[in-house]
Structure formats: C-alpha cells, structure tokens
Amino acid sequence: MILRKSLLASSIALLISANAVADITNSTFALAGGDPLTPQQWHLQNTGQSGFSLSNGIAGNDLDLDFAHLMGIKGRGITVAVIDSGVEISHPDLKANVVAGSLNVADGSDFPTDLNGHGTSVAGLIAAVEGNGIGGRGVAPLASLVGFNFLANQTVASWLVSHGLSEDFRALDRFTDPRVFNQSYGSTPATPRAYDYVTNPFLELTDQVQADISLNSHWGRGAVYVKSAGNSFGSYTTAYRGQLIQVLPYEGGQFYNNNGLPFHSANISTDNNNYWNLVVSAINAEGKLSSYSSVGSSVFLSAPGGEYGTDSPAMVTIDLTGCDKGMNVAGDHPNALHGGTELDPNCDYNGTMNGTSSAAPNTSGAIATIMSANHALDARTVRHLLAQTARKTDPTNQGVDLTFENAQGEVVTYNAVPGWQTNAAGYNFHHFYGLGAIDVDAAVYKALFTGVSLPKLQITDWVNTQANVEIPDASLVGAQSAINVEQALTVESVQVKLNIDHSRLRDLAIELVSPSGTRSVLMSARTGFLGGNDGGYTDAVMLNNHFYGEQAQGEWTLNVIDTDKGTSYTLGFNPALGLIGFNSRNNEIAGVLKDWSIRIFGH
C-alpha cells in the first residue's frame, strides 16, 4: 500500500503541468507487471509481435494506453458488465476483479456458467488481473466485473436483468453497479427490419431502458452500452426454409466478389442503429480493417479485433480453464500458445480470440479506464472525449469506387464508400472505422483536465416528408428529397427512417447530405439482401455518426441511387440444398422513394 501511495504521489506531481502530460502521452513506456503473456498482447502495446501466430503486426497499431497504465489509471472503481455466453468468474486471472452482481439467467445462481468460453475471453480482454505472474492483463486491469450468460437464455427478462434493469440494479447508483455494458453479440438480418413500436413492443422497451440507464443512472452520470458491429463483411449466415445457409455475393463469374464493398451492413440490425449503443468495428495488428468486420455509418469507433491467430495475430486473452474445453485444447495447433505449452501448460489462455467480439471489450476496457481518470464525467462526455481523440487508422484508405454499366449502356463510376473525410466540425470519419481508432492515452489526458460535461441531450421529434420520387434503374441520377430541420443543435448522431419500394435492395446506395454539405453513405450499394420487407424498405431505420459536431439546423438531403442493371447476384449455400440463386433478375421498373423521416440527437 505504501508503494502504491508513493507511485500515486509521483503521478500527481506529473500533472502539475498539463503541457508536460501532453508530451508524456506521446511517448512510449514498457508495460510493467511481469505477466508472461503481456509481451504478446499487441492490442495493449504493439511492438510488431506475432501474438503466437505465424506473422507479425506493425508496431504502433494498438490502444495506446501505456501512459495511462504508468499513471496507475486502469479502471479502478468502474464495473463492467459482460453480457455474453457467461463468464468463468472463478478463473485465477479474473476472480480478484469479480464483484457481487453476476447472474446465471438460466438457473438464478450467481455463477454465470460459460460452456463456450467466448464470454470468459471477453472478460479477460476487459479486466484480466495484472501483476499476478500468470497470463496477461486486461485493458482496465483494476476494473470490476460482473457476468451474465444471456446468450444461453435470451428471454425478455434475461435481457432486462443483464442490461441493468433488475430489482437490485434498478437505480444503478451503487459503486459496484455497471457503468459499462459490453455486448459482444449481434445478428445479421437478411432483410431490413421495421423500426416499429406497435408491432415490436420489445424494441420500445429496450430503447426506454437503455435511454434511462445511459442518461440517469449513477447519480446522473449515466452508463455506456458498447456493441460489436458484426463479423459479416464478406458473407453471412441466415435461415432459409428452416435451414441455415451461407449467403455470399457473386459477380463476374466469381464467388465472394462484391467489388470490394461490404456485403452486410452494421446498419441493418436494430441494436446497431440504436443511438444508445456505441458500435465498434475491428482493426487488425496492421491497423487495417479486420477481414471479417462489419462496417457502416452506425459505427462510432474502431478498436483492435485482430485476425484469426493462425496466419496473423488475434487476441491473447483468457480461456476456459483446462485443456479439454474452450478455444485452447490439447493437441497440435498453428497458434504457438495452444495445446498445453510451457507458457500455459493448463490451457487457461488462448491466442485465437478475434472478431468485433474482441473490439467491443477492448473498447469497454478503454471506457472504464477513461472513466476512472475522472469519475465525475458523465457517459456522454466520455463518448465525446473518445470522439475528440480518435485517430485515423489506415490513413491512406481511399474507400471503394464502384464501376458499373448504366441503363444506357455507358460505363460509369460511383464513389460507393468514401475514404477518410473531415466533416464541417473538423471530425474525421470513415465508413469502415467510424470516427477513428481509440486512443486511450489521449482520451485519459483530456479526461484529467475536463471539468464540464456536455450540455443536456436533446432529441428532436421525427420530421417527415412525403417524397414519392422515382429511383431510375442503373443511373447515377438517383432520387433526391430534402427535409428542413429547424432546431439549432450540435449533432451527436442522426437517425433516418425510410420507406422505399424496390425489388432488389442490394442495387441501392443511400446517402445523406448535411446542411454543411457533408456527404455520408447510410447504406452502401451491393449490400447482400435476400429481400425487402413489404416490397422494399418499410419503416427501416439507419443511424449515422458521420455528422458528429456539425450543426443540425438547415436542409438535409437524401439521395437514393440504383447501381446495377442485373449483373450482381446473391447466392445461398447449404450442403443439403446446394447453391440457391437470389436477386438474379433485374428490376427494370423504377423504384420509388415514398417517404422518409429524420431525427437528431444532439445538444
């Protein structure tokens, strides 16, 4: 304790000069602690290591947290809820950070049994114990943890208790109550879903619960819900005729050819186009988009998720204990940590955890770290600090241009996914990475010297217009419609609700242009829909974070562009059913943008 107080006193002395701290945050310090696997945890400090895979990453592509850890800012006093397959809370590298509040939603006990290992690996990324001489460490190794095996019993009651609305957590004002909720799960709907409280009362309930806890819990400081974007960039799985099929693009005689465009959008799922969820895409050890990561305008930030831990690094984190369960089991494996090795003879850790399921807990750990730097900050202000300090990762990424033959037989090019853009408020944004990659040290530095929270959140009513504009087939002309927003707000996020008649939704690109002239893609062309709902988009909602910090007042313009006259297809595959063709016939009849609505979240 004396040594800890001495370190804290030294750390506080460093804070006397804000300029000195700013200089220090740009430096690199070795992560102390002595845990044997930490040197391979590239997401914490990337020195170009392999993470026990067959190739190395590129130094510097990490969460940038060494200054925060040097200062002892590591999540102390912040509890993170792991809503997942469960958590092995007795794991020797977790149990010291587990506090009261975990629940097995299947049997009511306080041990959220994890039969899969996914949730345990997630918990390890967030808050594995540091300095105990085993395994590695979490992003926030002094944070507290509670776990829920929600994925094993996905009822309404299970959702409510795991997301904060239980008898014990109703006020969420105790020091051990979660201020961060990690959701490393999701769905990949094959059709856009209606955002409709009448037909889906559960949607209204979840919105109300998340809004209340996000804004009003913890004596008004609120909490943050972190959500993984999904793992469906190139293909996805859905149900068809009672069986699961893999859905993939097909163009130019090539399977999986989608012209470099994402085949599934994070903006399709209602929990990803929900303002209350901070949606995260995944980057790899080279600082580029992970090969699987779903993307879209609903992505707020990007964080390390890695690849698969075989040819290139995944995450090094906790596994279920023992060599007979979890990801790491006895036997040969291309990941050098696996199989019962000298560093991990009991197979209690793994080097293959990946996905936006990893990007989310890395983000949750980052948020817990930032909150612990200044406990007085409310949750929206913490999100704001993350937005202000996010860095351009993969800075030369130019996005994706789509070349296609229009209805007149001319070859035209459409900028389907823009590269990095700077919006009118000075924030960078990319369809793949949101506002950028998390920089913990930069955000912690700002948190230390931030004394005022954001003004109160305001949410406008939906503003609607009846457009009834034709969408010409295979034409850059597209359909345009405008709505005027009267409120003078600073934008935090924008939601758009659409009604469009069109029989091949994957042909359509949907753009939104702000009053300041920023063009953003709400739904990229060639997204792999199997069909629409009621003939197209019906009350489908999309979220956009591209306009963060811009002014809401003025004219917002929606553009809908048809990019295909019938050369791009969707295939489904199941061993029993074989290959199934979808969207094989072009709709030469023009679609219709019937109506749309917009609402602003801002201050």
Side-chain angles (χ1 to χ4, degrees):
M1 182 61 73
I2 294 173
L3 288 174
R4 228 173 235 183
K5 286 182 177 178
S6 176
L7 174 61
L8 181 61
S10 301
S11 299
I12 292 171
L14 286 172
L15 295 179
I16 294 174
S17 167
N19 290 332
V21 177
D23 290 339
I24 291 171
T25 60
N26 293 323
S27 302
T28 301
F29 304 91
L31 294 177
D35 296 321
L37 300 184
T38 294
Q40 289 294 337
Q41 292 184 294
W42 64 267
H43 63 289
L44 302 180
Q45 190 170 65
N46 192 336
T47 59
Q49 63 270 62
S50 69
F52 302 103
S53 72
L54 299 177
S55 65
N56 297 336
I58 296 177
N61 292 294
D62 51 39
L63 288 166
D64 187 25
L65 50 62
D66 49 300
F67 167 71
H69 279 211
L70 176 72
M71 295 286 292
I73 301 170
K74 304 175 183 179
R76 186 185 296 278
I78 305 298
T79 299
V80 183
V82 178
I83 309 166
D84 214 287
S85 61
V87 177
E88 188 180 325
I89 59 175
S90 60
H91 194 289
D93 222 359
L94 287 180
K95 61 184 180 182
N97 284 340
V98 174
V99 295
S102 295
L103 180 69
N104 186 316
V105 297
D107 64 18
S109 73
D110 58 4
F111 194 93
T113 304
D114 185 7
L115 299 176
N116 177 277
H118 186 273
T120 299
S121 292
V122 163
L125 288 171
I126 297 167
V129 177
E130 68 168 349
N132 57 359
I134 58 172
R137 68 164 70 174
V139 175
L142 298 183
S144 300
L145 289 166
V146 293
F148 301 89
N149 55 346
F150 166 69
L151 298 184
N153 188 37
Q154 298 180 43
T155 65
V156 173
S158 296
W159 188 94
L160 291 173
V161 71
S162 60
H163 289 74
L165 194 67
S166 70
E167 184 177 350
D168 289 337
F169 285 173
R170 189 171 302 280
L172 282 181
D173 287 334
R174 301 180 310 184
F175 288 107
T176 55
D177 291 338
R179 284 204 72 195
V180 187
F181 293 84
N182 189 86
Q183 306 160 97
S184 287
Y185 64 85
S187 61
T188 50
T191 60
R193 295 175 177 174
Y195 192 91
D196 182 3
Y197 287 165
V198 175
T199 60
N200 188 358
F202 179 59
L203 178 63
E204 181 177 20
L205 177 63
T206 58
D207 277 359
Q208 289 175 347
V209 168
Q210 288 188 297
D212 182 44
I213 291 173
S214 296
L215 297 176
N216 302 320
S217 65
H218 297 91
W219 302 280
R221 291 176 300 153
V224 177
Y225 290 90
V226 178
K227 177 69 178 60
S228 56
N231 303 324
S232 303
F233 188 94
S235 66
Y236 62 96
T237 301
T238 193
Y240 177 75
R241 295 181 180 175
Q243 299 192 55
L244 289 178
I245 61 170
Q246 184 187 23
V247 185
L248 60 146
Y250 181 81
E251 186 158 0
Q254 295 180 324
F255 295 102
Y256 296 100
N257 179 12
N258 206 41
N259 295 286
L261 290 165
F263 187 61
H264 201 272
S265 173
N267 230 346
I268 298 172
S269 171
T270 52
D271 48 8
N272 283 350
N273 54 44
N274 168 4
Y275 166 78
W276 309 110
N277 281 333
L278 190 159
V279 178
V280 189
S281 64
I283 53 179
N284 60 29
E286 296 181 352
K288 297 182 178 181
L289 188 74
S290 296
S291 57
Y292 50 76
S293 180
S294 296
V295 297
S297 67
S298 61
V299 170
F300 193 79
L301 294 165
S302 53
E307 292 294 344
Y308 296 105
T310 51
D311 293 336
S312 52
M315 299 287 105
V316 175
T317 184
I318 287 173
D319 197 41
L320 295 178
T321 52
C323 291
D324 59 343
K325 54 187 181 295
M327 302 180 199
N328 183 358
V329 294
D332 294 332
H333 194 279
N335 185 278
L337 179 62
H338 284 223
T341 59
E342 183 178 352
L343 283 174
D344 180 25
N346 297 319
C347 309
D348 293 346
Y349 301 87
N350 78 78
T352 57
M353 178 66 181
N354 62 78
T356 55
S357 286
S358 295
N362 283 329
T363 302
S364 293
I367 290 171
T369 302
I370 297 159
M371 285 179 168
S372 72
N374 186 344
H375 286 258
L377 295 178
D378 69 28
R380 281 176 50 244
T381 302
V382 171
R383 285 175 60 138
H384 181 59
L385 298 181
L386 285 163
Q388 286 184 310
T389 56
R391 58 177 175 81
K392 275 188 183 181
T393 188
D394 190 15
T396 60
N397 189 298
Q398 297 299 306
V400 184
D401 285 337
L402 175 63
T403 299
F404 67 96
E405 186 179 311
N406 68 12
Q408 289 73 44
E410 303 164 330
V411 176
V412 296
T413 299
Y414 168 62
N415 185 216
V417 173
W420 281 102
Q421 297 172 274
T422 303
N423 72 14
Y427 288 89
N428 298 314
F429 193 89
H430 195 294
H431 193 73
F432 291 174
Y433 306 112
L435 293 159
I438 292 171
D439 188 321
V440 173
D441 281 353
V444 162
Y445 164 64
K446 276 191 170 291
L448 289 168
F449 296 100
T450 297
V452 179
S453 291
L454 287 180
K456 182 179 179 180
L457 178 69
Q458 297 185 51
I459 307 171
T460 68
D461 292 332
W462 287 103
V463 184
N464 176 269
T465 187
Q466 299 294 318
N468 293 318
V469 183
E470 270 198 356
I471 308 166
D473 185 41
S475 171
L476 291 178
V477 173
Q480 291 84 37
S481 178
I483 287 178
N484 189 69
V485 172
E486 296 181 356
Q487 288 91 336
L489 295 176
T490 298
V491 173
E492 293 177 41
S493 195
V494 177
Q495 274 185 332
V496 167
K497 186 185 292 185
L498 295 162
N499 282 288
I500 293 175
D501 273 341
H502 201 281
S503 61
R504 272 177 49 118
L505 295 187
R506 88 177 243 96
D507 295 357
L508 300 183
I510 303 172
E511 303 176 347
L512 185 63
V513 181
S514 72
S516 300
T518 301
R519 178 182 78 99
S520 187
V521 177
L522 284 169
M523 186 64 66
S524 54
R526 311 302 172 87
T527 298
F529 294 110
L530 296 183
N533 54 342
D534 294 334
Y537 287 106
T538 301
D539 290 331
V541 165
M542 299 172 193
L543 184 73
N544 192 296
N545 292 309
H546 192 159
F547 308 108
Y548 194 90
E550 289 195 356
Q551 295 305 300
Q553 190 174 50
E555 187 173 87
W556 293 80
T557 303
L558 191 77
N559 300 322
V560 184
I561 300 162
D562 188 314
T563 66
D564 189 15
K565 68 173 185 179
T567 63
S568 169
Y569 311 119
T570 306
L571 295 178
F573 176 74
N574 173 287
L577 300 174
L579 278 174
I580 310 162
F582 300 93
N583 298 318
S584 58
R585 297 181 61 184
N586 187 39
N587 61 311
E588 296 182 8
I589 300 173
V592 179
L593 169 58
K594 296 193 295 185
D595 64 82
W596 66 288
S597 310
I598 190 171
R599 70 172 172 178
I600 309 296
F601 295 77
H603 59 268

